Amino acid sequence: MTEHTGAKYGGAPGSRGRTSIADVVVEKIAGMAARDVRGVHALGSGFARSMGSMRERMPGAGSGKSVTRGVSVEVGEVQTAIDLELVVDYGVSITDVAGAVRENVISAVERMAGREVVEVNIMVGDVKLPDDEDEEGEEPERQRLQ
């Protein structure tokens, strides 16, 4: 009986071939990980969120909010860089929220996509004040995740 080992046929079966990951996959992972952090009200600028809200009401435009709004990435073969635009809740420490977002995003992308995250750049574009009303039909990101 002949023993068939991976070495005889070019390595272990799991290492034969290439895996490609689309930018949108990394964008979605980063977007979801950022939204999981307490103190993040939403991703994207106010303008981008209102344009997205209008698009979502159009027939055939897809259902739900775009998880990639406020997220852009550059994905290479082994590394990725991520840019996020956040709206934070009033009263939170912005530096603490930014640090927690970085940790969560890096952990999620490296674990799920297998790409080394070389940087996560965060731009806080707005603060959600307690008396601000959300855009029509929009609820805070963190409440929907619970």
Side-chain angles (χ1 to χ4, degrees), residues 2-70:
T2 308
E3 185 176 327
H4 296 284
T5 63
K8 181 177 179 180
Y9 295 104
S15 67
R16 296 182 206 169
R18 221 177 93 188
T19 302
S20 298
I21 298 174
D23 290 7
V24 70
V25 173
V26 177
E27 287 174 349
K28 287 181 177 183
I29 293 168
M32 289 301 295
R35 284 174 173 82
D36 278 345
V37 175
R38 183 172 300 279
V40 173
H41 178 75
L43 268 67
S45 66
F47 178 74
R49 288 191 345 260
S50 50
M51 291 304 292
S53 180
M54 283 193 295
R55 267 194 312 273
E56 288 159 5
R57 283 180 267 204
M58 295 174 66
S63 62
K65 299 187 179 312
S66 171
V67 71
T68 62
R69 187 182 310 139

